[in-house]
Amino acid sequence: MLRFVAQRVGYMIISFFLVSIITFWLMKAAPGSFLELNLTVGGVNAAAQSINVSPELMRALVAQYHLDAPWYVQYWSYVWGFLTLHFGYSMEFPTTPTLQLIARTFPVSFSIAILSVALAVVVSIAAGVMAAIREHSWLDASTMFVATLGTAIPAYVVAVLLALVFGVWLHWLPVIGFQGPRYYVLPVLSLAIPMIGSLSRYMRNSIIQSLHAEYIVAVYAKGGGLRDAILRHALKNSLIPLVTVVGPHIAGLMMGTVLIESMFGLPGMGQVFATAASRRDYPLIMDSTLLYSVVIMLMNLLVDLLYGILDPRIRKRGYAEGR
């Protein structure tokens, strides 16, 4: 198992550097930051005059961001700063380290993503099991209809409906701001409801497949009931397809909460990344992209480990491949 994990970590390291190179190349291929644009037009003095700073300060900014250095020096300064947690300074906020911006906003996006996924997983397991044990009944059909409807409605539409009902009409929950746990409810529900639809269908199909397997027939032959068959046998094996999609969902939600954060006025990472990309804030783009890539790779590693916990055959096969 340790060899299996070491192999996955090796893949993660290779993927990290590939992501960093591609991100750096795409970032440089796009129109440059305000510093580089002004430098290209008229040199340091013209750039200093255009953004209303002294030429001395402009030279210090150019040196700080390595804009006068070769591309490989700039690239390595970003990567090494990220690896050593000595992040650079944002171009938009020259006195603010990107680490400080990320540390202030990342927990908001991460907590919303985790809570949304947790809620979606719990509800989808219950709905999937309920639909599976009543296969082809009105309960199965109605559950899957609601699940399909939830999948078809985008998160921002769900957010508008929830804000209108619970915020504007009923005045039960706050709609704008971020001052306590109550402000999490509507954003979390907005992201969780569409996810519940897709995960419920995964869970329902997986449970049905397990219930028709030979080992479940053996459970019934030994005198076990439906409760025994589901809770002790079918449920564990049926969680594997669910785990497959949950890991990427967490990382994807952290990046995909930009619209929800804007609608509910949340100070999350999504808004910071969107602003950095639109204003060509190189340090903030690189640091936030590399952070997201690390989170995604860690989620995939966690999924691989959960596979081995849920199904010993996968663990043994992975170990054999690692050898």
Side-chain angles (χ1 to χ4, degrees):
M1 194 64 181
L2 288 177
R3 188 175 304 212
F4 173 76
V5 173
Q7 186 182 53
R8 290 296 186 270
V9 171
Y11 292 154
M12 289 171 59
I13 293 173
I14 296 173
S15 300
F16 172 83
F17 281 102
L18 287 176
V19 169
S20 65
I21 291 172
I22 293 172
T23 302
F24 181 81
W25 179 79
L26 291 174
M27 187 176 67
K28 285 295 185 180
S33 66
F34 64 92
L35 287 175
E36 286 190 307
L37 289 175
N38 286 302
L39 284 172
T40 303
V41 173
V44 172
N45 291 333
Q49 185 177 2
S50 68
I51 61 174
N52 197 25
V53 298
S54 66
E56 291 76 16
L57 180 56
M58 175 56 68
R59 290 188 182 90
L61 291 175
V62 170
Q64 175 181 321
Y65 297 126
H66 304 284
L67 297 180
D68 55 349
W71 68 268
Y72 51 85
V73 174
Q74 297 182 44
Y75 164 75
W76 184 246
S77 68
Y78 293 133
V79 174
W80 182 250
F82 181 85
L83 293 175
T84 58
L85 298 181
H86 292 90
F87 293 12
Y89 286 80
S90 167
M91 285 182 171
E92 185 181 358
F93 310 102
T95 59
T96 306
T98 59
L99 180 60
Q100 182 177 332
L101 290 172
I102 292 173
R104 188 169 64 234
T105 57
F106 181 78
V108 176
S109 297
F110 187 74
S111 58
I112 291 174
I114 291 294
L115 290 173
S116 301
V117 171
L119 177 62
V121 166
V122 172
V123 175
S124 63
I125 289 176
V129 170
M130 184 173 61
I133 61 179
R134 295 290 185 267
E135 186 182 3
H136 302 313
S137 68
W138 67 268
L139 182 61
D140 181 21
S142 58
T143 302
M144 288 302 100
F145 172 77
V146 174
T148 303
L149 186 64
T151 306
I153 301 177
Y156 62 86
V157 176
V158 176
V160 172
L161 292 175
L162 292 177
L164 186 63
V165 174
F166 296 102
V168 178
W169 292 349
L170 300 177
H171 303 287
W172 288 357
L173 295 167
V175 176
I176 297 293
F178 186 73
Q179 300 175 9
R182 295 176 70 242
Y183 290 81
Y184 275 103
V185 177
L186 292 182
V188 167
L189 288 176
S190 302
L191 293 171
I193 288 175
M195 204 186 320
I196 289 171
S198 60
L199 295 184
S200 297
R201 291 186 298 169
Y202 274 108
M203 198 65 202
R204 181 246 184 202
N205 295 336
S206 185
I207 286 284
I208 289 176
Q209 186 177 4
S210 296
L211 289 177
H212 292 164
E214 292 182 358
Y215 68 90
I216 297 297
V217 176
V219 171
Y220 289 139
K222 292 179 180 180
L226 180 62
R227 180 190 179 104
D228 242 6
I230 291 179
L231 296 182
R232 297 184 58 184
H233 300 279
L235 185 58
K236 185 177 180 180
N237 290 333
S238 302
L239 288 176
I240 294 177
L242 194 69
V243 169
T244 303
V245 294
V246 164
H249 261 305
I250 297 176
L253 279 180
M254 287 188 297
M255 192 61 201
T257 57
V258 179
L259 201 54
I260 298 300
E261 290 174 5
S262 300
M263 292 178 66
F264 291 104
L266 302 175
M269 186 76 180
Q271 290 192 26
V272 171
F273 183 83
T275 303
S278 64
R279 300 185 182 181
R280 304 297 186 268
D281 192 339
Y282 290 169
L284 195 51
I285 291 174
M286 283 294 293
D287 290 338
S288 52
T289 302
L290 293 179
L291 177 64
Y292 277 123
S293 69
V294 169
V295 171
I296 291 173
M297 288 185 286
L298 288 175
M299 290 299 105
N300 289 332
L301 176 62
L302 181 61
V303 167
D304 288 339
L305 295 177
L306 286 176
Y307 281 164
I309 295 173
L310 293 173
D311 191 342
R313 295 171 299 176
I314 296 177
R315 183 169 63 248
K316 293 177 180 179
R317 185 167 63 246
Y319 173 74
E321 292 174 355
R323 297 179 62 183

